[in-house]
Amino acid sequence: MRISIIGSGRVATHLASALKAYGHIWVDVCGRKQSHVEQLAHTLGARALTDISDINTNIDLLIIAVADQAIKDVVSKLDKSSGFLVVHTSGSTDVKVISDHIKNAGVLYPLQTFSMGSQIDWSNVPIFIEANAVENIDILYELGEQLSKKVYEYSSAQRLSLHLAAVFACNFSNYCYDIAQQIVQAQGVDFKLLAPLILATAQKATQIDPVTAQTGPAMRHDEGILQQHLEFLQQYMPSYATTYQLLSEQIQHRHVKIPSDKK
Amino acid sequence: MRISIIGSGRVATHLASALKAYGHIWVDVCGRKQSHVEQLAHTLGARALTDISDINTNIDLLIIAVADQAIKDVVSKLDKSSGFLVVHTSGSTDVKVISDHIKNAGVLYPLQTFSMGSQIDWSNVPIFIEANAVENIDILYELGEQLSKKVYEYSSAQRLSLHLAAVFACNFSNYCYDIAQQIVQAQGVDFKLLAPLILATAQKATQIDPVTAQTGPAMRHDEGILQQHLEFLQQYMPSYATTYQLLSEQIQHRHVKIPSDKK
């Protein structure tokens, strides 16, 4: 395939570099950060551009791998009559952002946290594809399967649910670790002591249902401990008292108390 | 040492069984659930009791390993003039709950989630001790070091901070996994797809500071995605919209936006 890419950040670099091995012809790399664009273009043997209107239209596929909020703007600058397939790589962006303007539209979303410089085992990265026509799905399946054993056709709503779930399971759980570290550090206690429990909790949640794995004072409806924890937070870090209260109430709501005569 | 224990639940069973190997004389096991008490007493070669006033006072140490909210009540039933050391095993309970009434008082708190039937590698379980006199600290150090390489003398406030931090790092992070599972299941998406990301997030937080490891739309101040996620939650699971909003706001507050000209 003749492929061009818009974007030269982490996703663009990782994705294009991984696809390089499969014999595609890379035509243009277009982006705002000239040094990044030139570096990626050099790696791929492609032309470096900073103006979208300069993109060579004699291609099969254009990958838009830019920040989510910039996708709409990039699409508005494309020639509406182009026949090539245009895809974005975003978990949370509807395919409509492209298909409302472009005839052949799709999504190729790799579920992975990309860091610059790190190696990715692409064969295990789940790739979610979506397109507005069967022949475009076929193209994306073929491309996805060059990279990964795990290619799934998912709707925009399913992809969004996955991205949103990852925010809870990864970003918010990490923020809970962050609060934990602040709490112990304020008392001169080493956060590393919690490492085995953190790892065991994550392990368990991936082996059995997290709802079954739930433990703690909120789940036990231990009002004495809940009150004590709240008082401690109000004294030492009041901004986290609301968080503690909200999450504890929700856990109590999800794990209804069993009357003691039924225990 | 001549030791007795009040309680026959998970902590009592694991702790007493682990200490059995070190040549102590087990005198009494006292608790409300007769079958559990008899089983533990049998394992230890001790007497099974259900009435605290029957406890033989010719002992060196009494371990109270009952539910946190029951400790106060148990202490009130002990003979105030007893000379033996009385300890509880609770992370969140102040040593004062004992030392206000009993001359020799302490705490022996193992930081570990105990499940019935599972094997514990005691040598790596952090044990936190506290006592109201140097000679009692010495006794608890010796006892703790029979079990674990990691024995620390911590104050009640430090122990409470650790227990509270564990609620955030383990109970609340698990609840975030639980919400994530509900979100994807509602769209017919397999929760197992998130397992590699969950494990990688936990790993990373134990290797570098969680605050440094933070990622996601809130940290990036990506208002478009935040709005889209909120709308999705309001449509499909409104009860979690508040949680999403609160945690996102706190993350945005903790990771202040860098003006684009400084990026």
Side-chain angles (χ1 to χ4, degrees), chain B residues 64 71-72 75-76 78 80 82 84-88 93-107 130-133 136 156 159:
Chain B
I64 303 176
I71 298 173
K72 207 169 194 158
V75 172
S76 74
L78 295 176
K80 305 293 172 284
S82 318
F84 53 82
L85 174 57
V86 180
V87 301
H88 70 63
T93 307
D94 204 292
V95 68
K96 282 175 174 236
V97 171
I98 300 176
S99 64
D100 280 351
H101 304 281
I102 306 281
K103 207 179 94 197
N104 292 301
V107 177
E130 182 179 9
N132 64 345
N136 292 331
S156 289
R159 218 171 46 244

mmCIF file of all heavy atoms in Angstrom, chain B residues 64 71-72 75-76 78 80 82 84-88 93-107 130-133 136 156 159:
data_model
loop_
_atom_site.group_PDB
_atom_site.id
_atom_site.type_symbol
_atom_site.label_atom_id
_atom_site.label_comp_id
_atom_site.label_asym_id
_atom_site.label_seq_id
_atom_site.Cartn_x
_atom_site.Cartn_y
_atom_site.Cartn_z
ATOM 1 N N ILE B 64 -5.372 -10.003 71.079
ATOM 2 C CA ILE B 64 -6.777 -9.776 70.724
ATOM 3 C C ILE B 64 -6.846 -9.623 69.207
ATOM 4 O O ILE B 64 -6.404 -8.617 68.659
ATOM 5 C CB ILE B 64 -7.335 -8.503 71.406
ATOM 6 C CG1 ILE B 64 -7.181 -8.605 72.921
ATOM 7 C CG2 ILE B 64 -8.798 -8.272 71.016
ATOM 8 C CD1 ILE B 64 -7.609 -7.338 73.672
ATOM 9 N N ILE B 71 -12.878 -4.606 69.602
ATOM 10 C CA ILE B 71 -11.702 -4.598 70.496
ATOM 11 C C ILE B 71 -12.025 -3.921 71.836
ATOM 12 O O ILE B 71 -11.725 -4.454 72.905
ATOM 13 C CB ILE B 71 -10.501 -3.887 69.816
ATOM 14 C CG1 ILE B 71 -10.089 -4.654 68.554
ATOM 15 C CG2 ILE B 71 -9.323 -3.765 70.773
ATOM 16 C CD1 ILE B 71 -9.031 -3.949 67.703
ATOM 17 N N LYS B 72 -12.663 -2.768 71.765
ATOM 18 C CA LYS B 72 -12.987 -1.996 72.968
ATOM 19 C C LYS B 72 -13.800 -2.843 73.953
ATOM 20 O O LYS B 72 -13.524 -2.875 75.153
ATOM 21 C CB LYS B 72 -13.819 -0.762 72.548
ATOM 22 C CG LYS B 72 -13.691 0.400 73.492
ATOM 23 C CD LYS B 72 -14.311 1.651 72.900
ATOM 24 C CE LYS B 72 -13.844 2.853 73.719
ATOM 25 N NZ LYS B 72 -13.954 4.088 72.941
ATOM 26 N N VAL B 75 -11.663 -5.538 75.585
ATOM 27 C CA VAL B 75 -10.771 -4.974 76.609
ATOM 28 C C VAL B 75 -11.548 -4.702 77.897
ATOM 29 O O VAL B 75 -11.066 -4.966 79.003
ATOM 30 C CB VAL B 75 -10.088 -3.680 76.095
ATOM 31 C CG1 VAL B 75 -9.317 -2.981 77.208
ATOM 32 C CG2 VAL B 75 -9.145 -4.000 74.933
ATOM 33 N N SER B 76 -12.784 -4.220 77.749
ATOM 34 C CA SER B 76 -13.576 -3.879 78.938
ATOM 35 C C SER B 76 -13.874 -5.108 79.800
ATOM 36 O O SER B 76 -14.166 -4.987 80.982
ATOM 37 C CB SER B 76 -14.884 -3.203 78.517
ATOM 38 O OG SER B 76 -15.772 -4.170 77.979
ATOM 39 N N LEU B 78 -11.701 -7.562 80.318
ATOM 40 C CA LEU B 78 -10.470 -8.143 80.887
ATOM 41 C C LEU B 78 -10.273 -7.645 82.317
ATOM 42 O O LEU B 78 -10.704 -6.551 82.679
ATOM 43 C CB LEU B 78 -9.258 -7.739 80.039
ATOM 44 C CG LEU B 78 -9.207 -8.270 78.609
ATOM 45 C CD1 LEU B 78 -7.988 -7.694 77.880
ATOM 46 C CD2 LEU B 78 -9.169 -9.798 78.594
ATOM 47 N N LYS B 80 -8.607 -5.749 84.947
ATOM 48 C CA LYS B 80 -7.752 -4.548 84.849
ATOM 49 C C LYS B 80 -6.419 -4.703 85.576
ATOM 50 O O LYS B 80 -5.462 -3.969 85.310
ATOM 51 C CB LYS B 80 -8.472 -3.309 85.396
ATOM 52 C CG LYS B 80 -9.829 -3.041 84.752
ATOM 53 C CD LYS B 80 -9.705 -2.658 83.291
ATOM 54 C CE LYS B 80 -11.071 -2.585 82.614
ATOM 55 N NZ LYS B 80 -11.695 -3.902 82.289
ATOM 56 N N SER B 82 -4.464 -7.366 85.585
ATOM 57 C CA SER B 82 -3.597 -8.402 84.985
ATOM 58 C C SER B 82 -2.228 -7.812 84.677
ATOM 59 O O SER B 82 -2.129 -6.688 84.190
ATOM 60 C CB SER B 82 -4.190 -8.923 83.679
ATOM 61 O OG SER B 82 -5.563 -9.107 83.801
ATOM 62 N N PHE B 84 0.022 -9.364 82.550
ATOM 63 C CA PHE B 84 0.497 -9.796 81.226
ATOM 64 C C PHE B 84 0.272 -8.728 80.158
ATOM 65 O O PHE B 84 -0.560 -7.837 80.318
ATOM 66 C CB PHE B 84 -0.130 -11.137 80.818
ATOM 67 C CG PHE B 84 -1.628 -11.186 80.892
ATOM 68 C CD1 PHE B 84 -2.410 -10.681 79.856
ATOM 69 C CD2 PHE B 84 -2.278 -11.763 81.996
ATOM 70 C CE1 PHE B 84 -3.795 -10.743 79.905
ATOM 71 C CE2 PHE B 84 -3.664 -11.817 82.058
ATOM 72 C CZ PHE B 84 -4.421 -11.308 81.017
ATOM 73 N N LEU B 85 1.054 -8.848 79.094
ATOM 74 C CA LEU B 85 0.967 -7.911 77.973
ATOM 75 C C LEU B 85 -0.261 -8.236 77.114
ATOM 76 O O LEU B 85 -0.503 -9.392 76.772
ATOM 77 C CB LEU B 85 2.253 -8.018 77.134
ATOM 78 C CG LEU B 85 2.346 -7.231 75.825
ATOM 79 C CD1 LEU B 85 2.140 -5.738 76.037
ATOM 80 C CD2 LEU B 85 3.693 -7.494 75.137
ATOM 81 N N VAL B 86 -1.040 -7.198 76.802
ATOM 82 C CA VAL B 86 -2.227 -7.365 75.955
ATOM 83 C C VAL B 86 -2.022 -6.566 74.662
ATOM 84 O O VAL B 86 -1.766 -5.362 74.718
ATOM 85 C CB VAL B 86 -3.509 -6.865 76.673
ATOM 86 C CG1 VAL B 86 -4.729 -7.041 75.764
ATOM 87 C CG2 VAL B 86 -3.708 -7.589 77.997
ATOM 88 N N VAL B 87 -2.109 -7.233 73.517
ATOM 89 C CA VAL B 87 -1.934 -6.539 72.233
ATOM 90 C C VAL B 87 -3.144 -6.775 71.330
ATOM 91 O O VAL B 87 -3.813 -7.808 71.439
ATOM 92 C CB VAL B 87 -0.664 -7.019 71.468
ATOM 93 C CG1 VAL B 87 0.588 -6.787 72.298
ATOM 94 C CG2 VAL B 87 -0.779 -8.475 71.037
ATOM 95 N N HIS B 88 -3.420 -5.792 70.449
ATOM 96 C CA HIS B 88 -4.387 -6.055 69.381
ATOM 97 C C HIS B 88 -3.632 -6.115 68.057
ATOM 98 O O HIS B 88 -2.437 -5.800 67.992
ATOM 99 C CB HIS B 88 -5.532 -5.028 69.381
ATOM 100 C CG HIS B 88 -5.158 -3.639 68.955
ATOM 101 N ND1 HIS B 88 -4.698 -3.332 67.698
ATOM 102 C CD2 HIS B 88 -5.191 -2.451 69.634
ATOM 103 C CE1 HIS B 88 -4.476 -2.037 67.608
ATOM 104 N NE2 HIS B 88 -4.743 -1.469 68.777
ATOM 105 N N THR B 93 -6.656 0.856 64.831
ATOM 106 C CA THR B 93 -7.074 1.071 66.210
ATOM 107 C C THR B 93 -5.904 1.583 67.040
ATOM 108 O O THR B 93 -4.815 1.000 67.016
ATOM 109 C CB THR B 93 -7.638 -0.237 66.796
ATOM 110 O OG1 THR B 93 -8.643 -0.727 65.913
ATOM 111 C CG2 THR B 93 -8.224 -0.014 68.174
ATOM 112 N N ASP B 94 -6.130 2.661 67.768
ATOM 113 C CA ASP B 94 -5.095 3.269 68.601
ATOM 114 C C ASP B 94 -4.717 2.307 69.731
ATOM 115 O O ASP B 94 -5.573 1.595 70.256
ATOM 116 C CB ASP B 94 -5.625 4.589 69.180
ATOM 117 C CG ASP B 94 -4.489 5.529 69.537
ATOM 118 O OD1 ASP B 94 -3.727 5.225 70.487
ATOM 119 O OD2 ASP B 94 -4.360 6.572 68.861
ATOM 120 N N VAL B 95 -3.440 2.332 70.131
ATOM 121 C CA VAL B 95 -2.990 1.499 71.246
ATOM 122 C C VAL B 95 -3.714 1.909 72.537
ATOM 123 O O VAL B 95 -3.900 1.097 73.453
ATOM 124 C CB VAL B 95 -1.448 1.586 71.412
ATOM 125 C CG1 VAL B 95 -1.022 2.978 71.870
ATOM 126 C CG2 VAL B 95 -0.915 0.510 72.355
ATOM 127 N N LYS B 96 -4.185 3.155 72.589
ATOM 128 C CA LYS B 96 -4.887 3.663 73.770
ATOM 129 C C LYS B 96 -6.125 2.858 74.126
ATOM 130 O O LYS B 96 -6.511 2.820 75.298
ATOM 131 C CB LYS B 96 -5.350 5.110 73.524
ATOM 132 C CG LYS B 96 -4.245 6.130 73.667
ATOM 133 C CD LYS B 96 -4.761 7.510 73.275
ATOM 134 C CE LYS B 96 -3.712 8.565 73.554
ATOM 135 N NZ LYS B 96 -4.214 9.619 74.427
ATOM 136 N N VAL B 97 -6.764 2.284 73.115
ATOM 137 C CA VAL B 97 -7.959 1.488 73.385
ATOM 138 C C VAL B 97 -7.619 0.394 74.404
ATOM 139 O O VAL B 97 -8.449 0.022 75.232
ATOM 140 C CB VAL B 97 -8.526 0.882 72.070
ATOM 141 C CG1 VAL B 97 -9.636 -0.113 72.324
ATOM 142 C CG2 VAL B 97 -9.008 2.001 71.159
ATOM 143 N N ILE B 98 -6.365 -0.070 74.386
ATOM 144 C CA ILE B 98 -5.923 -1.033 75.410
ATOM 145 C C ILE B 98 -5.253 -0.311 76.584
ATOM 146 O O ILE B 98 -5.610 -0.542 77.748
ATOM 147 C CB ILE B 98 -4.950 -2.079 74.800
ATOM 148 C CG1 ILE B 98 -5.655 -2.858 73.671
ATOM 149 C CG2 ILE B 98 -4.461 -3.046 75.877
ATOM 150 C CD1 ILE B 98 -4.757 -3.842 72.938
ATOM 151 N N SER B 99 -4.307 0.586 76.285
ATOM 152 C CA SER B 99 -3.469 1.153 77.356
ATOM 153 C C SER B 99 -4.250 2.052 78.323
ATOM 154 O O SER B 99 -3.797 2.294 79.444
ATOM 155 C CB SER B 99 -2.269 1.916 76.769
ATOM 156 O OG SER B 99 -2.719 3.025 76.016
ATOM 157 N N ASP B 100 -5.430 2.520 77.927
ATOM 158 C CA ASP B 100 -6.266 3.290 78.855
ATOM 159 C C ASP B 100 -6.777 2.420 80.014
ATOM 160 O O ASP B 100 -7.205 2.960 81.043
ATOM 161 C CB ASP B 100 -7.473 3.903 78.118
ATOM 162 C CG ASP B 100 -7.089 5.175 77.356
ATOM 163 O OD1 ASP B 100 -5.950 5.660 77.550
ATOM 164 O OD2 ASP B 100 -7.915 5.675 76.566
ATOM 165 N N HIS B 101 -6.752 1.098 79.819
ATOM 166 C CA HIS B 101 -7.336 0.217 80.835
ATOM 167 C C HIS B 101 -6.350 -0.808 81.391
ATOM 168 O O HIS B 101 -6.530 -1.310 82.490
ATOM 169 C CB HIS B 101 -8.540 -0.534 80.244
ATOM 170 C CG HIS B 101 -9.567 0.388 79.680
ATOM 171 N ND1 HIS B 101 -10.474 1.060 80.479
ATOM 172 C CD2 HIS B 101 -9.821 0.787 78.406
ATOM 173 C CE1 HIS B 101 -11.242 1.824 79.714
ATOM 174 N NE2 HIS B 101 -10.867 1.675 78.452
ATOM 175 N N ILE B 102 -5.328 -1.149 80.589
ATOM 176 C CA ILE B 102 -4.436 -2.262 80.932
ATOM 177 C C ILE B 102 -3.011 -1.720 81.058
ATOM 178 O O ILE B 102 -2.595 -0.909 80.234
ATOM 179 C CB ILE B 102 -4.488 -3.342 79.826
ATOM 180 C CG1 ILE B 102 -5.928 -3.797 79.557
ATOM 181 C CG2 ILE B 102 -3.559 -4.504 80.129
ATOM 182 C CD1 ILE B 102 -6.501 -4.766 80.532
ATOM 183 N N LYS B 103 -2.266 -2.208 82.060
ATOM 184 C CA LYS B 103 -0.923 -1.684 82.348
ATOM 185 C C LYS B 103 0.050 -1.937 81.191
ATOM 186 O O LYS B 103 0.744 -1.019 80.740
ATOM 187 C CB LYS B 103 -0.381 -2.346 83.626
ATOM 188 C CG LYS B 103 0.632 -1.497 84.379
ATOM 189 C CD LYS B 103 1.108 -2.197 85.652
ATOM 190 C CE LYS B 103 2.379 -2.975 85.385
ATOM 191 N NZ LYS B 103 2.688 -3.982 86.411
ATOM 192 N N ASN B 104 0.127 -3.179 80.723
ATOM 193 C CA ASN B 104 1.059 -3.520 79.640
ATOM 194 C C ASN B 104 0.285 -3.717 78.342
ATOM 195 O O ASN B 104 -0.400 -4.724 78.159
ATOM 196 C CB ASN B 104 1.838 -4.790 79.995
ATOM 197 C CG ASN B 104 2.793 -4.536 81.148
ATOM 198 O OD1 ASN B 104 3.670 -3.681 81.058
ATOM 199 N ND2 ASN B 104 2.593 -5.242 82.260
ATOM 200 N N ALA B 105 0.417 -2.712 77.442
ATOM 201 C CA ALA B 105 -0.423 -2.697 76.252
ATOM 202 C C ALA B 105 0.426 -2.535 75.003
ATOM 203 O O ALA B 105 1.467 -1.876 75.028
ATOM 204 C CB ALA B 105 -1.430 -1.553 76.325
ATOM 205 N N GLY B 106 -0.024 -3.130 73.912
ATOM 206 C CA GLY B 106 0.724 -3.005 72.663
ATOM 207 C C GLY B 106 -0.104 -3.348 71.447
ATOM 208 O O GLY B 106 -1.309 -3.628 71.527
ATOM 209 N N VAL B 107 0.585 -3.310 70.299
ATOM 210 C CA VAL B 107 -0.035 -3.618 69.009
ATOM 211 C C VAL B 107 0.938 -4.485 68.208
ATOM 212 O O VAL B 107 2.153 -4.251 68.234
ATOM 213 C CB VAL B 107 -0.317 -2.327 68.206
ATOM 214 C CG1 VAL B 107 -0.900 -2.660 66.832
ATOM 215 C CG2 VAL B 107 -1.252 -1.404 68.967
ATOM 216 N N GLU B 130 3.899 -1.626 68.373
ATOM 217 C CA GLU B 130 3.834 -0.428 69.207
ATOM 218 C C GLU B 130 3.551 -0.918 70.627
ATOM 219 O O GLU B 130 2.877 -1.941 70.804
ATOM 220 C CB GLU B 130 2.684 0.484 68.730
ATOM 221 C CG GLU B 130 2.577 1.782 69.504
ATOM 222 C CD GLU B 130 1.441 2.693 69.013
ATOM 223 O OE1 GLU B 130 0.629 2.230 68.178
ATOM 224 O OE2 GLU B 130 1.368 3.843 69.472
ATOM 225 N N ALA B 131 4.094 -0.228 71.628
ATOM 226 C CA ALA B 131 3.794 -0.622 73.007
ATOM 227 C C ALA B 131 4.014 0.561 73.919
ATOM 228 O O ALA B 131 4.639 1.557 73.542
ATOM 229 C CB ALA B 131 4.664 -1.807 73.431
ATOM 230 N N ASN B 132 3.502 0.451 75.149
ATOM 231 C CA ASN B 132 3.573 1.580 76.075
ATOM 232 C C ASN B 132 4.804 1.529 76.997
ATOM 233 O O ASN B 132 4.895 2.309 77.925
ATOM 234 C CB ASN B 132 2.282 1.687 76.891
ATOM 235 C CG ASN B 132 2.094 0.457 77.770
ATOM 236 O OD1 ASN B 132 2.761 -0.565 77.565
ATOM 237 N ND2 ASN B 132 1.208 0.546 78.737
ATOM 238 N N ALA B 133 5.744 0.602 76.740
ATOM 239 C CA ALA B 133 6.958 0.541 77.564
ATOM 240 C C ALA B 133 8.042 -0.185 76.779
ATOM 241 O O ALA B 133 7.735 -1.064 75.953
ATOM 242 C CB ALA B 133 6.691 -0.197 78.873
ATOM 243 N N ASN B 136 8.096 -3.943 76.720
ATOM 244 C CA ASN B 136 7.041 -4.550 75.903
ATOM 245 C C ASN B 136 7.392 -4.483 74.411
ATOM 246 O O ASN B 136 7.090 -5.412 73.651
ATOM 247 C CB ASN B 136 5.696 -3.858 76.173
ATOM 248 C CG ASN B 136 5.201 -4.140 77.591
ATOM 249 O OD1 ASN B 136 5.505 -5.198 78.154
ATOM 250 N ND2 ASN B 136 4.478 -3.194 78.172
ATOM 251 N N SER B 156 0.686 4.878 66.477
ATOM 252 C CA SER B 156 -0.704 4.619 66.060
ATOM 253 C C SER B 156 -1.073 5.470 64.848
ATOM 254 O O SER B 156 -1.772 5.000 63.941
ATOM 255 C CB SER B 156 -1.668 4.904 67.220
ATOM 256 O OG SER B 156 -1.525 3.910 68.212
ATOM 257 N N ARG B 159 0.528 3.940 61.775
ATOM 258 C CA ARG B 159 -0.193 2.713 61.398
ATOM 259 C C ARG B 159 -1.512 3.055 60.727
ATOM 260 O O ARG B 159 -1.895 2.464 59.726
ATOM 261 C CB ARG B 159 -0.406 1.869 62.648
ATOM 262 C CG ARG B 159 -0.264 0.386 62.431
ATOM 263 C CD ARG B 159 -0.268 -0.360 63.741
ATOM 264 N NE ARG B 159 -1.319 0.095 64.605
ATOM 265 C CZ ARG B 159 -1.124 0.682 65.778
ATOM 266 N NH1 ARG B 159 0.097 0.867 66.237
ATOM 267 N NH2 ARG B 159 -2.143 1.058 66.504
#
